[in-house]
Amino acid sequence: MRFVGIDPATETGVVALDEDGNPVLEISIIGKGEKEPGGISLKQRMSLENQLFQLLQPDDVVLKEAIANGNKMLITTAKIHGGLELMVIRKGLGLEEVAPTAVKKYVQVTGFKQVDGKSVRLQGDKEKKAAMAAGALKHFGYEHPNNNVVDAFIIAKICEAVYRVRRGEPITDYPKYQQEVIQSFIQPVQKKPKKKTENTNQRRGKPRTAGSRAQNTEQTCLF
């Protein structure tokens, strides 16, 4: 059995941990084929999907990062995510997703840095990736030159933690901020259904009258 973390993108990070939580697969895969300006070609997507399918094993436990809110390349990203999800399912494996914000939270990346005692928002992919690399090093002593692999490693560690807690390991073995991420899988918050508003034909500002608000069209008018 392995714990597999997947960080989907045109360059997809994949990390697999053994039963002791040690990495046995650390790779970043790119689809082969003609490039498509501003996105990913069909041939590249097929190549990316086939590569992932070949990397997966029958007893893997898989966790994939979900699409980030406000993604600027939503259509391309959705195609990549959907194709990779199908490969996991085709392999006969279960699949869960973790929000990008939860991945950051797991290693205490807030999106801000301290400059002269003030909180300043991280700017650009370089700073954001550097913060994730620092978080992985601090929490797990893990380093890798490829940022996609670093993210996939953190996702794999979340996958491992959720698996262990579900099988009786005390959640208190983890820091509080990691407990909150794990708990979101163990006991997901149920969204409250929206209250239905009464649909009436009454015009705004007009007081209600007793009984029916609309005259029966078949009723005879008497004047």
Side-chain angles (χ1 to χ4, degrees), residues 4 19 21 28 48 84 86 101 122 137 166 169 190 197-198:
V4 178
E19 293 188 17
S28 183
L48 189 67
L84 297 180
L86 287 175
T101 52
L122 297 174
L137 180 61
R166 279 175 171 163
E169 182 176 288
Q190 299 293 330
T197 56
E198 184 182 2

Side-chain angles (χ1 to χ4, degrees), residues 40-57:
I40 184 171
S41 68
L42 179 58
K43 288 184 178 180
Q44 285 178 311
R45 276 172 40 213
M46 291 175 62
S47 171
L48 189 67
E49 294 164 9
N50 289 336
Q51 288 179 66
L52 177 65
F53 184 82
Q54 293 170 4
L55 290 172
L56 295 172
Q57 295 182 2

Side-chain angles (χ1 to χ4, degrees), residues 77-93:
T77 303
K79 287 179 180 179
I80 294 171
H81 278 250
L84 297 180
E85 289 169 5
L86 287 175
M87 293 302 104
V88 176
I89 295 169
R90 180 182 165 195
K91 202 77 175 185
L93 304 172

Side-chain angles (χ1 to χ4, degrees), residues 142-211:
Y142 182 79
E143 291 181 284
H144 196 280
N146 188 294
N147 293 318
N148 300 296
V149 173
V150 172
D151 290 352
F153 174 83
I154 298 169
I155 296 166
K157 294 302 288 185
I158 298 173
C159 180
E160 177 194 3
V162 171
Y163 179 89
R164 296 191 187 286
V165 171
R166 279 175 171 163
R167 280 152 184 79
E169 182 176 288
I171 196 171
T172 51
D173 288 352
Y174 301 86
K176 183 170 176 54
Y177 51 91
Q178 291 186 349
Q179 290 182 32
E180 291 172 356
V181 174
I182 297 168
Q183 194 67 31
S184 68
F185 288 88
I186 308 300
Q187 292 182 332
V189 177
Q190 299 293 330
K191 292 184 179 180
K192 294 181 179 180
K194 293 183 179 180
K195 292 182 178 179
K196 293 184 178 180
T197 56
E198 184 182 2
N199 185 17
T200 70
N201 294 323
Q202 182 181 3
R203 288 178 292 181
R204 186 179 299 176
K206 185 176 180 180
R208 294 189 178 186
T209 57

